[in-house]
Amino acid sequence: MRVARARYKNWNRADLTYAELDEGTAVAGVFTQSACASSEVEMGREQVKSGSARALVVNAGNSNAFTGYRGREAVEQIMQQVAEHLGCDTSEVFVSSTGVIGVPLPKDKARDGVAAALSAEPCSWEDAASAISTTDTFAKGAHASAMIGGQRVELVGIIKGSGMIAPDMATMLGYIFTDAAVEPALLQQMLSTANRETFSCITVDGDTSTSDTVLAFATGKAGNAPLASFDDTGADAFAAALTDVCRQLAQLVVRDGEGASKFITIRVTGAASDESAHRVALSIANSPLVKTAIAGEDANWGRVVMAVGKAGEPADRDKLSIAFGGTWTARDGLPVEGYDEAPVAAHLKGAQIDIAVDLGIGEGRATVWTCDLTHGYISINADYRS
Amino acid sequence: MRVARARYKNWNRADLTYAELDEGTAVAGVFTQSACASSEVEMGREQVKSGSARALVVNAGNSNAFTGYRGREAVEQIMQQVAEHLGCDTSEVFVSSTGVIGVPLPKDKARDGVAAALSAEPCSWEDAASAISTTDTFAKGAHASAMIGGQRVELVGIIKGSGMIAPDMATMLGYIFTDAAVEPALLQQMLSTANRETFSCITVDGDTSTSDTVLAFATGKAGNAPLASFDDTGADAFAAALTDVCRQLAQLVVRDGEGASKFITIRVTGAASDESAHRVALSIANSPLVKTAIAGEDANWGRVVMAVGKAGEPADRDKLSIAFGGTWTARDGLPVEGYDEAPVAAHLKGAQIDIAVDLGIGEGRATVWTCDLTHGYISINADYRS
């Protein structure tokens, strides 16, 4: 990894990240479903189809979204510049951008930044995680390893994001690198599956970015027998490690949610289906009244009832049960008479909040992660200049 | 109208409202679609089918939602007490409750409160509007009149609500009284139509109440030839007046949105259909990032792009145009070069904000109303005790 200062904003920090990847690196990706996706997302979606990658460039401070043909030209320039340097195909150079929407990425700054990065000294994962960040308050990375047929493989991931986070459909900017040898089609299947259980289960503010992207790169340098199907030896272990890294990264984004003071886990059980449970859980996680109640350390389960009721999913008021930190405050549609408020109050004063909701009508279950809604979110977003 | 102090909360104000209605009064209603609706809503939905009403009782300070059989018993007690007093059927007594969720309405306080209201002096519409309120900061009422075949009829409405407002599907607590003679079936049709264009077009926080209700009562005392169909003379005028009152009431709720400092009108045109335009408009209106940008007086149209993109509706990034206060800041998927920022900045400093979005792909259009998201909303809802 290498970083440089393209000075996309008036700041004194690295804001362009470059990762060179070995020949033969497999790539997989998941992207935002936004109807207003950036050129980077549109092009990346096409590029992953070839399954092959040689480089990654990430611009921070300018998302280059909603910038029309001029935005696209800037991306093509970066791809060309790197492809010439490496002697590879432009389709093997992946570009992401994050930051303000609606300002075309300045081509001159991009050209100088890429040139500086190509000749820079290698840097640490943490430096790269910092260079891809915008409103993040800390650098976010995760690691896991797996054994594939006697060969140990490593996975490292970095991610950025703390606002405009509702990857109901895809994700924010995240990159996972592994030395395992994995065929692109299988890597894509594994990443899509991991995405559904991790990045798709977090929300900060219900707002979905135009630039959400997660890419996984597998260089194959570990020397394991290449994985081509879920039946191959070690495929399960690798998929579990990949999901583990994705879950760590996803939860780090929520922990750094704009203005967040508490990390909230919402478990929904007894739903008509897993999909229904997921939608009910997100309805609770995205409710400003639930999120402000948690910020106020108030066990206001009435607001949880409201959020279940508005989800548009099958539910029966008289079978609904709600618990905070393991203490049931409502059971089968009625407040629990004389429940012990002390452990609930103590739980709500903590930084890790657990809300459990049992719908009592089926076997569907889901878990999502979110944060509370505080004055900090308002301050960050009412003052942020476009 | 009569009001009394049931003291549902520890406060020094009237919190029980009673309206006696003439014999032969027609009634129509629209209710929340919440899967966790209160007993009042469930029973009201059944009662309107008969089309006949003699009284309305509104409890403020306790929503009686999610209280199981005990909540239902309290409603039945109120219906019986009033029916005995009037010598009418219990099904002709409509009850609504608003306030905290999950605490059964205390039967003793309800009994004493209803008894006090039955013997109270008549009060003004404004007193009644105050007595049905909870976190509202002002009493909300509206008036209109219409000519039906040479006979002037009057319509008066009162409403409460400022948080947990996302009547995507129905409404908050609102009551419209008219002396017109209108058959119940037609009144219901007119109210449902008006609801779609008014209450269903507002949102404060995207959270839908368990108790949302709007009832329209037509006493027939004006003496007009009863309206039975849209073809009758004066039916158009009456429907327009009814919609007018509903729109006034709906907009008053948004103006009193919790913590609101600005009233925002969002007009979406050029959508694939009117329904699609409505969903795009609500996606913008419910976006915390758009709402905080307006609070910060920032013409951050990138966040509007984001909200269009996440709506899940047909849109083409390269045909999208966005205006603030009539000034186009983005046209056909590109920022407008060198647009005059001065009128936009001046517009955003005002209290009435207009956002226009043209999707450029069809003829669908919709307008919704919302408010900004400020520190006030957090203060109100993080401190409100359950």
Side-chain angles (χ1 to χ4, degrees):
Chain A
M1 311 284 278
R2 291 169 162 81
V3 299
R5 297 178 184 210
R7 301 187 200 282
Y8 289 122
K9 291 183 73 168
N10 186 19
W11 55 18
N12 188 26
R13 49 160 274 194
D15 54 6
L16 188 147
T17 306
Y18 171 71
E20 190 175 318
L21 302 158
D22 295 300
E23 280 192 61
T25 294
V27 62
V30 288
F31 300 90
T32 182
Q33 303 291 314
S34 169
C36 297
S38 66
S39 289
E40 284 83 339
V41 166
E42 286 185 340
M43 296 166 83
R45 219 179 257 143
E46 285 303 306
Q47 289 172 263
V48 290
K49 289 180 186 165
S50 77
S52 164
R54 285 299 312 284
L56 167 71
V57 175
V58 184
N59 306 297
N62 183 327
S63 78
N64 198 35
F66 206 69
T67 54
Y69 70 92
R70 285 186 298 157
R72 192 172 180 98
E73 284 176 2
V75 181
E76 287 169 344
Q77 174 193 290
I78 293 172
M79 291 165 71
Q80 193 128 21
Q81 187 178 0
V82 174
E84 280 172 16
H85 175 79
L86 293 177
C88 69
D89 198 278
T90 55
S91 73
E92 295 178 298
V93 180
F94 287 77
V95 181
S96 304
S97 302
T98 176
V100 163
I101 293 172
V103 181
L105 195 74
K107 287 201 223 174
D108 50 347
K109 290 186 179 180
R111 184 179 294 111
D112 294 349
V114 169
L118 290 176
S119 61
E121 292 296 311
C123 69
S124 68
W125 293 106
E126 191 171 350
D127 288 342
S130 294
I132 68 171
S133 72
T134 55
T135 57
D136 308 62
T137 66
F138 56 86
K140 304 176 187 70
H143 170 257
S145 60
M147 293 300 289
I148 303 180
Q151 177 62 50
R152 182 184 174 93
V153 302
E154 307 290 339
L155 299 90
V156 171
I158 58 174
I159 199 160
K160 66 84 50 178
S162 64
M164 210 178 276
I165 300 291
D168 175 26
M169 313 171 244
T171 62
M172 64 306 319
L173 289 196
Y175 307 96
I176 298 149
F177 304 87
T178 175
D179 57 0
V182 190
E183 293 293 324
L186 180 63
L187 187 63
Q188 182 66 52
Q189 271 187 284
M190 286 176 168
L191 181 64
S192 296
T193 302
N195 175 55
R196 277 197 297 280
E197 299 170 10
T198 58
F199 300 113
S200 291
C201 297
I202 66 170
T203 180
V204 167
D205 50 13
D207 276 345
T208 301
S209 158
T210 47
S211 309
D212 292 337
T213 297
V214 167
L215 295 170
F217 302 101
T219 65
K221 290 297 148 184
N224 61 287
L227 297 177
S229 111
F230 277 107
D231 298 330
D232 291 346
T233 304
D236 284 354
F238 180 76
L242 181 65
T243 302
D244 185 25
V245 169
C246 289
R247 187 180 298 107
Q248 289 181 55
L249 294 175
Q251 294 191 356
L252 284 171
V253 170
V254 172
R255 286 183 197 282
D256 197 20
E258 287 175 342
S261 72
K262 293 173 193 290
F263 179 87
I264 308 170
T265 302
I266 297 167
R267 289 188 182 84
V268 173
T269 54
S273 67
D274 288 351
E275 295 68 34
S276 181
H278 182 74
R279 284 190 286 266
V280 170
L282 278 180
S283 178
I284 299 167
N286 280 322
S287 161
L289 289 171
V290 171
K291 294 162 90 83
T292 48
I294 299 301
E297 304 185 342
D298 179 12
N300 194 325
W301 54 266
R303 295 185 184 175
V304 178
V305 173
M306 177 281 300
V308 172
K310 77 165 182 166
E313 293 297 317
D316 180 339
R317 187 192 62 200
D318 298 334
K319 290 181 177 165
L320 184 58
S321 301
I322 296 165
F324 289 88
T327 303
W328 293 94
T329 57
R331 275 268 196 204
D332 299 327
L334 279 172
V336 174
E337 301 246 13
Y339 76 85
D340 188 358
E341 290 190 29
V344 173
H347 179 73
L348 284 164
K349 286 199 192 306
Q352 317 278 337
I353 308 299
D354 288 316
I355 302 177
V357 173
D358 189 84
L359 300 182
I361 60 169
E363 298 296 320
R365 55 176 56 233
T367 299
V368 308
W369 301 283
T370 190
C371 54
D372 55 346
L373 174 58
T374 69
H375 285 287
Y377 185 88
I378 307 292
S379 297
I380 292 167
N381 288 300
D383 301 340
Y384 183 93
R385 292 303 304 172
S386 63
Chain B
M1 309 286 277
R2 292 168 163 82
V3 300
R5 296 178 185 210
R7 300 185 201 283
Y8 289 123
K9 290 183 74 168
N10 186 20
W11 54 18
N12 189 27
R13 48 160 275 195
D15 54 6
L16 188 146
T17 306
Y18 171 72
E20 191 173 317
L21 302 158
D22 295 300
E23 280 192 59
T25 294
V27 63
V30 288
F31 300 90
T32 181
Q33 302 292 313
S34 168
C36 297
S38 67
S39 290
E40 284 82 340
V41 166
E42 285 185 341
M43 297 165 84
R45 216 178 262 145
E46 285 302 305
Q47 290 171 261
V48 290
K49 290 180 186 166
S50 77
S52 165
R54 286 299 314 283
L56 167 70
V57 175
V58 184
N59 306 298
N62 183 326
S63 77
N64 199 35
F66 205 70
T67 54
Y69 69 92
R70 285 186 298 156
R72 192 172 180 98
E73 284 175 2
V75 181
E76 287 169 344
Q77 174 191 288
I78 293 172
M79 291 166 71
Q80 193 130 22
Q81 187 177 0
V82 174
E84 280 173 15
H85 176 79
L86 293 177
C88 70
D89 198 278
T90 53
S91 72
E92 295 178 298
V93 180
F94 287 77
V95 181
S96 303
S97 302
T98 176
V100 163
I101 293 172
V103 180
L105 195 74
K107 286 201 225 174
D108 50 347
K109 290 186 179 179
R111 183 181 295 110
D112 293 348
V114 169
L118 291 175
S119 61
E121 293 295 312
C123 69
S124 67
W125 293 107
E126 192 170 350
D127 288 342
S130 294
I132 68 171
S133 72
T134 55
T135 57
D136 308 61
T137 66
F138 57 86
K140 305 176 187 71
H143 170 256
S145 61
M147 294 300 288
I148 303 181
Q151 176 63 49
R152 182 185 175 91
V153 302
E154 307 290 340
L155 300 89
V156 171
I158 58 174
I159 199 159
K160 65 86 48 177
S162 64
M164 210 178 275
I165 301 291
D168 174 27
M169 315 170 240
T171 63
M172 65 307 320
L173 290 195
Y175 307 97
I176 298 147
F177 304 87
T178 176
D179 57 359
V182 190
E183 292 294 324
L186 181 63
L187 188 63
Q188 181 66 54
Q189 271 188 282
M190 288 176 167
L191 181 64
S192 296
T193 302
N195 174 55
R196 277 196 297 278
E197 299 170 9
T198 57
F199 299 113
S200 292
C201 297
I202 65 170
T203 181
V204 168
D205 51 12
D207 275 346
T208 301
S209 157
T210 46
S211 309
D212 291 338
T213 297
V214 168
L215 296 171
F217 302 101
T219 66
K221 290 298 148 183
N224 61 288
L227 297 177
S229 111
F230 277 106
D231 298 331
D232 291 346
T233 305
D236 284 354
F238 180 77
L242 180 66
T243 301
D244 186 24
V245 169
C246 289
R247 187 179 297 109
Q248 289 180 53
L249 293 175
Q251 294 191 357
L252 284 171
V253 170
V254 171
R255 286 183 196 282
D256 197 19
E258 287 175 343
S261 71
K262 294 174 192 291
F263 179 88
I264 309 170
T265 302
I266 298 168
R267 289 188 182 81
V268 173
T269 54
S273 68
D274 288 352
E275 295 69 34
S276 181
H278 182 73
R279 284 190 286 266
V280 170
L282 278 181
S283 178
I284 300 167
N286 279 323
S287 160
L289 289 171
V290 171
K291 294 162 90 82
T292 48
I294 300 300
E297 303 184 342
D298 178 13
N300 193 325
W301 54 266
R303 295 186 184 176
V304 178
V305 174
M306 176 280 300
V308 171
K310 77 166 181 165
E313 293 298 318
D316 180 340
R317 187 192 62 201
D318 297 334
K319 291 180 176 164
L320 184 59
S321 301
I322 296 165
F324 289 89
T327 303
W328 294 96
T329 56
R331 275 271 196 203
D332 299 326
L334 280 171
V336 174
E337 301 246 13
Y339 77 86
D340 187 359
E341 290 189 30
V344 173
H347 179 74
L348 284 164
K349 287 200 191 306
Q352 316 280 336
I353 307 299
D354 288 316
I355 302 176
V357 173
D358 189 83
L359 300 183
I361 60 169
E363 298 297 320
R365 54 177 56 232
T367 300
V368 307
W369 301 284
T370 190
C371 53
D372 56 344
L373 174 58
T374 69
H375 284 288
Y377 185 88
I378 307 293
S379 297
I380 292 167
N381 288 299
D383 301 339
Y384 183 92
R385 291 303 305 169
S386 63

